[in-house]
Amino acid sequence: MTRRVLQLLIGLFLYGIAIAMIVRGAVGVAPWDVLTQGLNLRTGLTFGLITIIVGGVVLLAWIPLKQRPGVGTVLNVLLVGPSADIGLALIPADLDLWARILLFAGGLLLLGVASGLYIGGNFGPGPRDGLMTGIHRVTGWPIWVGRTGVEVVVLGIGWLLGGNVGIGTVLFAVLIGPICGYTIPLFRIAPSTGRPAAGEATLEGDTPPSKPIVDSPAN
């Protein structure tokens, strides 16, 4: 249990730092981060506060889908946003292109590790993960259909609001799945024993680890 709790908290903190790195990379961000950036530009609220608000709204959408949040779900909503604000305060903006590319690459890898840590602790999925699996259960659509549909809408709204869509957005979509396909089984702990689980774990019961539904408060 101690290891699970530590994984959850460290993973959520690093998740926010990774988001900040990707945002400061300024070559394009994940779909949910595009929405957060757009709302940040329009409202003046901090990136982290908007992340919390959006996460809370997504969590409310679980109610008609009859999804049950875990403690990890609630902590995801509450902790990732503030850690992203910390990262944004520490990492300067307007860096040279080479530095921004390195920031994006490092942020993407760190986000994959952070996802493996917090998901592997088995304290419940993030709010956006649960939304996707809830849509799948209620509608019978393949998970990728629900995810793609939601993220296209989110991306479009964020872009219209002024969020940063670029090559990084495409690279995130293409690479985050394979990265997390490695890190989630690596860090997964079986809740009943506290020991690492054998083989690849299934996220949310019906999602192959090789194609995880990775949430980002920004994604």
Side-chain angles (χ1 to χ4, degrees):
M1 177 61 72
T2 300
R3 178 182 164 184
R4 290 176 62 205
V5 171
L6 285 175
Q7 275 199 201
L8 174 67
L9 296 178
I10 292 172
L12 292 176
F13 177 76
L14 293 180
Y15 204 107
I17 299 298
I19 289 172
M21 293 172 66
I22 293 172
V23 169
R24 288 294 190 234
V27 293
V29 297
W32 286 95
D33 293 333
V34 174
L35 176 62
T36 303
Q37 280 188 323
L39 291 171
N40 168 250
L41 291 171
R42 299 292 179 174
T43 66
L45 299 176
T46 68
F47 189 97
L49 180 56
I50 294 172
T51 296
I52 294 173
I53 293 171
V54 171
V57 171
V58 172
L59 202 55
L60 290 176
W62 283 32
I63 296 174
L65 298 174
K66 298 182 180 179
Q67 290 284 95
R68 292 184 178 181
V71 63
T73 310
V74 177
L75 289 177
N76 183 298
V77 172
L78 296 177
L79 299 182
V80 173
S83 67
D85 274 346
I86 291 172
L88 291 171
L90 294 176
I91 304 170
D94 301 322
L95 297 171
D96 292 337
L97 179 60
W98 67 267
R100 291 192 284 114
I101 292 173
L102 289 179
L103 268 178
F104 175 84
L108 184 62
L109 291 174
L110 181 60
L111 192 142
V113 171
S115 298
L117 286 169
Y118 96 78
I119 293 174
N122 281 295
F123 281 107
R128 295 155 189 84
D129 292 336
L131 177 64
M132 307 306 172
T133 53
I135 291 173
H136 163 70
R137 193 185 66 253
V138 170
T139 66
W141 299 342
I143 287 179
W144 72 266
V145 172
R147 175 177 180 174
T148 301
V150 169
E151 294 195 350
V152 166
V153 171
V154 166
L155 181 65
I157 295 173
W159 177 72
L160 290 173
L161 292 173
N164 183 8
V165 178
I167 184 62
T169 308
V170 177
L171 291 174
F172 185 96
V174 171
L175 297 177
I176 193 61
I179 293 172
C180 290
Y182 175 77
T183 61
I184 291 174
L186 178 66
F187 291 111
R188 183 178 186 271
I189 303 170
S192 59
T193 64
R195 297 192 300 271
E200 288 197 341
T202 300
L203 176 61
E204 278 298 293
D206 54 5
T207 308
S210 57
K211 295 182 180 179
I213 303 179
V214 179
D215 133 348
S216 163
N219 176 31

